[in-house]
Amino acid sequence: MILQAEKPIALCSDHAGYATKQAVIAYLEQAGIAYKDFGTYSEESCDYPDFAHPCAEAVEHGECYPGIGICGTGEGVCMTLNKHQGIRAALCWKPEIAALAREHNDANVLVMPGRFISNDEALEITKVFLNTEFAGGRHQRRIEKIPVK
Ligand code: RB5
């Protein structure tokens, strides 16, 4: 495991991402990977920002690394996470995108669309994300230009 050497992974979802989050949790537990679940904790309808903001703050402030966020499309969670200056959240629906989000963008939160991928696909995407290093070089220069001053 390349990422998550010392810190727990921050997790968040809304009701539409809950089942996928539970599949991710089952994988993390069997793999012995620490995590902190910022909710939601059931399939009862809820508002994704209520869970994505605390998840983003945990990664931004160094309590957790990396993060994983899931909602129905992934869009709402991704938009919310990326409001935080220190967050580079990447919406990934294929392992290849997750690999490039790490290699090129040094993404620190993986976001997945729970209603559009299977649990098996979610776990494959998660494993690739957690095992891919940032390539640095020209990509370092580019990510340094992302923040709004
Ligand atoms: C919930 O119905 C859905 O809107 C939410 O999970 C997400 O897809 C929003 O971006």
Side-chain angles (χ1 to χ4, degrees):
M1 194 68 54
I2 290 171
L3 303 190
Q4 196 271 326
E6 292 162 13
K7 296 177 182 178
I9 293 176
L11 301 178
C12 68
S13 79
D14 69 355
H15 54 289
Y18 175 78
T20 307
K21 177 160 66 71
Q22 293 311 109
V24 170
I25 286 174
Y27 162 68
L28 296 177
E29 288 185 350
Q30 66 87 19
I33 299 170
Y35 66 89
K36 183 165 181 185
D37 185 0
F38 290 89
T40 189
Y41 304 110
S42 77
E43 291 188 313
E44 186 179 338
S45 183
C46 62
D47 302 335
Y48 52 80
D50 294 343
F51 310 98
H53 281 306
C55 179
E57 283 162 9
V59 174
E60 199 171 27
H61 300 154
E63 178 193 347
C64 295
Y65 179 80
I68 300 176
I70 307 160
C71 65
T73 59
E75 302 289 5
V77 161
C78 201
M79 289 176 190
T80 307
L81 292 166
N82 278 320
K83 287 293 180 189
H84 294 254
Q85 194 73 284
I87 296 299
R88 287 182 301 280
L91 175 55
C92 301
W93 60 95
K94 287 176 177 245
E96 293 85 350
I97 297 173
L100 288 168
R102 288 286 313 128
E103 281 176 30
H104 288 193
N105 311 114
D106 198 17
N108 54 11
V109 185
L110 164 65
V111 182
M112 294 185 284
R115 285 181 172 156
F116 294 88
I117 56 173
S118 67
N119 285 349
D120 284 349
E121 288 171 321
L123 298 188
E124 190 56 34
I125 292 164
T126 298
K127 289 175 197 173
V128 167
F129 186 86
L130 295 178
N131 284 289
T132 305
E133 279 190 275
F134 177 48
R138 67 187 186 281
H139 301 295
Q140 179 65 40
R141 182 182 71 241
R142 291 167 186 169
I143 66 169
E144 285 173 5
K145 292 183 178 181
I146 293 175
V148 177
K149 304 282 188 252

